[in-house]
Amino acid sequence: MFVEICYRFLEYLHIVKQASEHTIRNYAIDLNAFKEHLEREWLPDEPAEAKPEKISHKDPYSVRYTLFDRLLPIAKIDRKTIRGFLAWLTEVQQNKRTIARKLSSLRSFFRYALLQKLISQNPTEELDSPKLEKKLPTYLNYDQITHLFDQPDRSSYLGFRDRAIMELFYSSGLRVSELVALNREDFDRINLTMKLRGKGKKERIVPITKNAANWIQAYLTHPERKQDSNTHAAEVDPQSIFLNKHGSRLTTRSVDRKFDKYLTQSGLAGKVTPHTIRHTIATHWLENGMDLKTIQMLLGHSCLATTTIYTQVSTKLKKKVYDETHPRA
């Protein structure tokens, strides 16, 4: 039945595909939205307490869901059902990007169900995704980066950590998920490199600046790292590089919260996110003459087309190309 198969699919993502927790959580969110649509359409008179709880990306499928789940047979879901779900998303004014992501999640789910021979036909076949406007990534100029980096209170242990994080972001264009997964053994201070685990558990080694390496080393050896205080606990996870105030591994959510604070302080809130620094360094690399293939390798992009978008945001590069190629320049 639908809910049970959702849990089997999430387990497949975790064990077989080795997807990140962030990826699995997003799939769970999208499957929950579809489950709620099925309940509205097929079981409008069922009391809320009789329905299964939200699909969790952490908890295993519970037998207490089985009786209700029989009322949501996966074989009953057809193309019309999916179209109805997409139409409802449009009615509640979900943006096109969100709708496209939810449809993509359903495609993956039903491909899995077909592979497992749980259905005879994939109901998402021949359904078109909404046409998305190509949105250019936001990036900061050098003065804005400097202003943002001045926000953490470096006299405090946690502020020192946050500045080290910013330096590493700008040094090598990490994703937030890659940053929080870093272990001490990934950091090579002598050769100025960092080993990252990117999307799909793909590993890559990227160079880091000497400045970023010095900040990380100073944070790792900070005298307060192994001390309890009023603001933070002593280190309890000696393997992780970046720790939260409880002394354990920092999470992506914690990084997002911290950046929201600093962005508000800097006056940049609403314009940028932690991922913006990734866009920023890529644009700055390009402006300073780095070739696209190298940028692709450093950022861990599987497709060069993803990297080429930075040529559209770099006005400095456009001017340089114009000056070098125009016959009357």
Side-chain angles (χ1 to χ4, degrees), residues 57-239:
H57 70 288
K58 290 185 176 180
D59 300 329
Y61 178 77
S62 172
V63 291
R64 73 178 187 275
Y65 298 163
T66 305
L67 180 61
F68 175 85
D69 201 12
R70 289 174 183 166
L71 302 177
L72 295 178
I74 191 172
K76 185 179 174 182
I77 300 171
D78 56 16
R79 198 171 300 156
K80 183 179 178 181
T81 309
I82 308 292
R83 284 193 177 123
F85 175 57
L86 300 178
W88 176 80
L89 291 173
T90 302
E91 286 175 14
V92 297
Q93 298 183 333
Q94 291 285 327
N95 62 53
K96 289 183 178 180
R97 194 168 297 276
T98 298
I99 294 173
R101 191 198 74 190
K102 292 188 186 301
L103 178 56
S104 177
S105 294
L106 290 179
R107 282 197 177 107
S108 297
F109 169 75
F110 284 108
R111 277 198 300 266
Y112 163 80
L114 189 65
L115 182 67
Q116 299 296 315
K117 298 183 179 179
L118 301 168
I119 54 176
S120 59
Q121 187 173 359
N122 186 340
T124 63
E125 286 182 354
E126 298 180 12
L127 286 177
D128 295 327
S129 295
K131 290 187 177 180
L132 303 177
E133 296 179 4
K134 288 188 177 180
K135 199 172 181 181
L136 296 179
T138 302
Y139 75 104
L140 305 177
N141 60 38
Y142 293 103
D143 290 340
Q144 288 173 318
I145 279 288
T146 300
H147 181 53
L148 177 61
F149 284 17
D150 284 341
Q151 301 310 309
D153 177 10
R154 289 164 289 170
S155 66
S156 73
Y157 166 71
L158 294 179
F160 196 94
R161 174 204 64 189
D162 296 341
R163 177 58 185 271
I165 286 174
M166 290 180 179
E167 292 289 347
L168 183 56
F169 269 144
Y170 187 67
S171 162
S172 307
L174 282 70
R175 300 179 179 95
V176 179
S177 58
E178 293 170 344
L179 179 125
V180 299
L182 289 173
N183 295 321
R184 285 176 180 264
E185 62 186 17
D186 299 325
F187 175 43
D188 186 341
R189 188 187 180 195
I190 303 300
N191 295 307
L192 296 178
T193 62
M194 190 74 79
K195 183 168 74 173
L196 307 179
R197 284 166 287 281
K199 290 184 176 181
K201 303 295 182 181
K202 294 179 182 177
E203 293 187 352
R204 69 185 190 280
I205 295 176
V206 299
I208 61 175
T209 63
K210 186 175 181 180
N211 187 47
N214 289 340
W215 274 96
I216 295 168
Q217 183 63 24
Y219 168 64
L220 289 173
T221 57
H222 197 289
E224 293 186 39
R225 187 175 176 104
K226 296 184 182 296
Q227 298 174 3
D228 286 323
S229 75
N230 293 331
T231 59
H232 70 275
E235 173 186 88
V236 294
D237 183 352
Q239 184 182 28

Side-chain angles (χ1 to χ4, degrees), residues 291-303:
D291 65 278
L292 283 174
K293 287 294 290 183
T294 301
I295 296 175
Q296 178 190 8
M297 181 274 295
L298 291 174
L299 295 181
H301 287 160
S302 58
C303 176

